[in-house]
Amino acid sequence: MNPRLSMCRVLLIACAIGSSLLAAPAGADFGQTSTAPINIAARDAIDLSGEWRYIVDPLKTGVVRADSSRYSVFRDMAGPENPIDFFEYNFDAAPRMMIPGDWNGQDASLTWYDGLVWFRRTLELAEVPDSRQLLHIGAANYKALVYVNGEKVGEHEGGFTPFAFDVTDKLVTGRNSIVIGVDSEHGNNSVPTPVVDWKNYGGITRPVHLVSLPDTYVHDYFIRLGSDGRLIADVRLGGEEVDGHIVKVTVPELGVELRGESDKSGNASFTIDSPDRLQRWSPASPKLYEVIVATDEDEVADRIGFRTISVEGSDILLNGDRIFLRGISIHEEAIGATPSRAINVERARELLSIAKQDLNANFVRLAHYPHTPAMTRMADELGLLVWSEIPVYWDIDFGNADTLVLAKKMQHENIIRDRNRASIMFWSVGNETPQTEERLAFLGELIDDVRRLDDTRLVTAALHNVRSEGGVRVVDDPLGALLDVVAVNTYQGWYGGMSLERVPSVQWRNPSGKPFVYSEFGAGALYGFQDPDREKFSEDFQVAYYEATIEMVKKAPDLAGVSPWILKDFLSPRRMNWKYQEYWNRKGLISPEGNKKAAFSVLRDWYDEIALQGDDR
Ligand code: GCU
């Protein structure tokens, strides 16, 4: 049997064990939940960002030979007692890289590396804090093995969502060793599989914090307007004794103060009529309120916007008014010739300001995985509606029960983390998935879960199975019946042989009558390549493509919005054409460095036109 296979099986079992280390809050009722308390930035925490030492472990020896002190990297031993002996690893002499950050952009030898890398950081503690200590990791792509002072504290699978482990009894006075092994390798039953059209940035891509919490703490909360416009607050406590704690939710600017007691599962819920002077959040006026969630021991402050989202026939309504989604798709990749996956507040503002201010967009599709909180919070601030998605991308193993458990966990982690973000309008359960019974059952379960976790947003998915009937494109994928909004990816005139001249006359039919969104369309262009004959990959072709496609889209039935593919050229291992691509997907409207291609203004002009018509709030 292939040892690597047995090692994978070991990892999966460890995953299941690991996550039970941090007792999920008593209120958790869906069998598995996010281990990570939310809104870490507002908590009392040590930010462990900075230089970490790293050891590349191509054969995963540190896992396979975990029983041997010679190879067990995670023990982070200085060396064997016997001075003439030695270990096969040594962190103190190892190179350093910045965390958060992907390894691909920081070590040229790892540009395309998929595998295991061990990261170590030491932490000096004058004394062990007497409060609960959680080690919180914003995200690590793809599997993470976490050790404190040589002891395993947990495992996590999934590259784009947060997780945390209780390390209270692992810390010591003086030097503490934190070792995180990150394996970026994906398998056939991972989510996604290895075959994706984006760069698989490996590493600890979002911040790591050591969070101090009282014994009983605010784990997560969900504060929003219900579909009837009433103000609802659900708070869930974490820790052991969660029963009978005073729970308060205040919105000082509105004079709202809700007070109650947690029940035996640590939950407290409140519903009141919204104060008349509550100003609704919208892209045009992204009003956020300070909200404080407190117990007798803990307090967390957040900035939350209040709005309602609903569907009426083929219209999407925001705060009861019809809205047209002037969107753009975005990958989580910073602007620059050698981009990074690690997006901080400044980089998020840079990307989203181009969408908001320069393109006049009111909507962004954050593809194809949960982006960093810096992006969704920036969308709250700037006033951009958001499509949030988990990486159920193309052909994952829909028939595999473990894969379903994994996808559900990723979705839970994403929704728990971000359901207080006013900007998020859509939870998407997948992109371009095959039309099979297994897939329908799989996504059906995910959709049920979304609706249980959040009944205030719309559920969707990016479809691509389009039937042709007499030349008319018919979108009747059975998955559409389970969605609130039907979205389709289409590349007429780019992939396949259709000429641009024919594109405007392509007709669409949407039997569901639900709101219809083009979640993707686009064409490649190499910035600076001009060709009046419109060779593909020229800016001229991209301009003509957008003009033709916008003509086609305008005639579509029930059209509620678009999110063309894509704002910025992005790296992808599938783009091997050295004449135009050099591993860049060139469908961006801006180049890797942020230069606007000619087609950028074609889309902007259309959005200006729509905004002038005023069906935008
Ligand atoms: C697909 C897919 C994207 C991909 C795009 C493309 O539709 O969803 O992830 O990058 O097409 O081909 O450029």
Side-chain angles (χ1 to χ4, degrees):
M1 173 140 88
N2 172 331
R4 284 184 76 255
L5 260 181
S6 68
M7 178 268 304
C8 295
R9 199 160 284 132
V10 171
L11 265 176
L12 272 175
I13 294 164
C15 265
I17 296 166
S19 58
S20 67
L21 276 167
L22 174 72
D29 57 357
F30 27 67
Q32 58 177 320
T33 180
S34 170
T35 59
I38 64 172
N39 194 6
I40 292 301
R43 311 263 187 172
D44 171 13
I46 301 173
D47 183 346
L48 299 171
S49 299
E51 289 194 328
W52 291 50
R53 300 261 185 188
Y54 66 100
I55 294 176
V56 180
D57 184 356
L59 298 181
K60 310 184 198 301
T61 308
V63 172
V64 176
R65 297 300 313 279
D67 57 339
S68 137
S69 52
R70 178 179 298 283
Y71 293 106
S72 45
V73 180
F74 56 84
R75 292 190 207 288
D76 185 19
M77 307 282 282
E81 268 130 44
N82 176 347
I84 59 165
D85 195 357
F86 63 90
F87 285 160
E88 304 289 353
Y89 71 89
N90 179 328
F91 270 119
D92 295 336
R96 294 181 183 90
M97 77 166 67
M98 291 304 290
I99 299 296
D102 54 82
W103 58 61
N104 316 77
Q106 298 190 67
D107 179 334
S109 71
L110 301 177
T111 302
W112 291 108
Y113 176 73
D114 254 353
L116 177 59
V117 176
W118 298 94
F119 293 93
R120 193 271 328 252
R121 152 146 202 171
T122 58
L123 176 67
E124 287 294 330
L125 291 174
E127 60 177 357
V128 176
D130 56 8
S131 60
R132 177 189 296 275
Q133 298 293 308
L134 295 190
L135 188 62
H136 179 279
I137 293 120
N141 189 39
Y142 175 66
K143 283 190 187 119
L145 324 167
V146 184
Y147 300 79
V148 172
N149 294 329
E151 270 199 74
K152 183 183 285 174
V153 294
E155 315 255 348
H156 182 267
E157 182 167 351
F160 302 100
T161 44
F163 52 101
F165 302 110
D166 195 320
V167 297
T168 311
D169 58 359
K170 301 286 183 290
L171 298 171
V172 296
T173 302
R175 177 187 183 280
N176 289 273
S177 156
I178 298 170
V179 172
I180 305 180
V182 181
D183 189 341
S184 66
E185 217 173 323
H186 290 65
N188 296 331
N189 56 19
S190 62
V191 178
T193 69
V195 182
V196 294
D197 188 29
W198 67 80
K199 181 161 185 164
N200 182 38
Y201 288 100
I204 305 171
T205 54
R206 294 179 194 156
V208 181
H209 290 87
L210 184 64
V211 188
S212 294
L213 292 166
D215 272 353
T216 306
Y217 56 95
V218 175
H219 185 275
D220 63 80
Y221 45 83
F222 185 19
I223 301 165
R224 73 277 189 195
L225 295 186
S227 50
D228 59 4
R230 306 193 73 203
L231 184 61
I232 305 172
D234 288 316
V235 178
R236 187 163 45 167
L237 304 185
E240 271 74 42
E241 275 102 49
V242 293
D243 188 2
H245 284 264
I246 299 298
V247 176
K248 281 188 300 178
V249 177
T250 47
V251 188
E253 197 181 335
L254 293 172
V256 167
E257 177 150 339
L258 309 171
R259 194 185 167 81
E261 215 172 84
S262 59
D263 64 17
K264 65 179 182 356
S265 11
N267 293 321
S269 298
F270 310 86
T271 304
I272 60 165
D273 292 342
S274 304
D276 298 342
R277 57 196 167 89
L278 182 147
Q279 194 188 327
R280 298 278 184 105
W281 182 97
S282 73
S285 61
K287 171 65 181 172
L288 299 175
Y289 288 92
E290 186 191 30
V291 177
I292 300 156
V293 181
T295 67
D296 32 16
E297 295 178 57
D298 196 11
E299 181 173 301
V300 189
D302 206 335
R303 285 166 55 74
I304 298 178
F306 298 102
R307 81 290 176 268
T308 59
I309 292 170
S310 56
V311 160
E312 200 173 84
S314 64
D315 290 340
I316 297 177
L317 307 183
L318 177 68
N319 298 323
D321 298 320
R322 181 181 174 281
I323 187 163
F324 182 89
L325 302 175
R326 309 189 312 268
I328 191 75
S329 297
I330 298 181
H331 259 299
E332 186 178 347
E333 190 181 76
I335 289 176
T338 51
S340 161
R341 159 72 26 92
I343 298 272
N344 57 22
V345 173
E346 290 70 40
R347 288 174 172 165
R349 187 182 297 283
E350 187 181 20
L351 278 169
L352 295 181
S353 302
I354 296 171
K356 175 86 183 181
Q357 269 100 38
D358 304 354
L359 194 59
N360 197 3
N362 61 8
F363 170 57
V364 287
R365 178 184 176 202
L366 302 183
H368 291 291
Y369 37 77
H371 285 215
T372 178
M375 286 288 267
T376 49
R377 285 188 178 274
M378 187 55 68
D380 272 12
E381 300 282 345
L382 294 180
L384 283 164
L385 289 157
V386 166
W387 164 307
S388 174
E389 184 165 281
I390 54 170
V392 173
Y393 182 87
W394 290 345
D395 302 349
I396 68 163
D397 192 353
F398 290 105
N400 185 318
D402 290 336
T403 307
L404 178 59
V405 169
L406 189 53
K408 281 186 171 185
K409 185 166 76 70
M410 286 179 187
Q411 183 165 264
H412 289 159
E413 290 172 346
N414 184 33
I415 295 178
I416 299 286
R417 188 198 78 180
D418 268 3
R419 58 183 174 174
N420 293 292
R421 303 282 70 78
S423 56
I424 298 185
M425 165 179 268
F426 294 111
W427 299 119
S428 166
V429 293
N431 179 75
E432 296 191 353
T433 50
Q435 204 169 313
T436 66
E437 281 311 308
E438 282 180 340
R439 165 258 203 177
L440 196 58
F442 187 107
L443 296 182
E445 287 222 24
L446 286 181
I447 292 166
D448 292 346
D449 259 13
V450 173
R451 297 195 191 289
R452 228 158 33 84
L453 281 168
D454 180 2
D455 59 1
T456 68
R457 291 184 172 86
L458 307 178
V459 181
T460 191
L463 308 175
H464 73 314
N465 313 301
V466 175
R467 203 166 45 77
S468 185
E469 206 175 88
V472 176
R473 302 277 184 281
V474 182
V475 183
D476 58 1
D477 179 328
L479 180 64
L482 306 180
L483 306 175
D484 299 312
V485 168
V486 169
V488 71
N489 296 353
T490 184
Y491 286 90
Q492 327 282 324
W494 177 252
Y495 293 127
M498 180 183 290
S499 69
L500 284 186
E501 287 62 39
R502 284 190 44 217
V503 170
S505 60
V506 174
Q507 294 176 39
W508 291 81
R509 194 143 51 81
N510 166 36
S512 73
K514 293 179 179 179
F516 190 62
V517 166
Y518 286 97
S519 35
E520 286 182 36
F521 59 75
L526 178 59
Y527 176 69
F529 171 30
Q530 318 296 348
D531 175 25
D533 299 332
R534 295 181 181 168
E535 183 183 334
K536 278 193 174 175
F537 287 103
S538 67
E539 289 198 45
D540 310 75
F541 180 92
Q542 196 184 43
V543 165
Y545 170 92
Y546 267 83
E547 288 167 346
T549 304
I550 289 171
E551 282 321 301
M552 173 191 79
V553 160
K554 277 181 178 173
K555 288 181 239 149
D558 314 316
L559 185 66
V562 297
S563 54
W565 194 258
I566 185 164
L567 180 66
K568 180 183 79 63
D569 290 359
F570 61 95
L571 285 170
S572 165
R574 292 164 62 86
R575 308 296 166 170
M576 306 165 280
N577 177 319
W578 275 94
K579 184 173 178 193
Y580 302 117
Q581 297 174 320
E582 298 176 56
Y583 299 103
W584 292 93
N585 182 314
R586 295 286 186 194
K587 295 192 183 67
L589 289 173
I590 64 175
S591 71
E593 296 80 6
N595 302 307
K596 293 186 175 63
K597 303 176 189 177
F600 187 99
S601 53
V602 175
L603 188 62
R604 199 243 357 270
D605 293 351
W606 182 39
Y607 286 173
D608 289 349
E609 186 194 313
I610 297 171
L612 275 179
Q613 286 157 15
D615 61 354
D616 159 47
R617 307 288 175 278

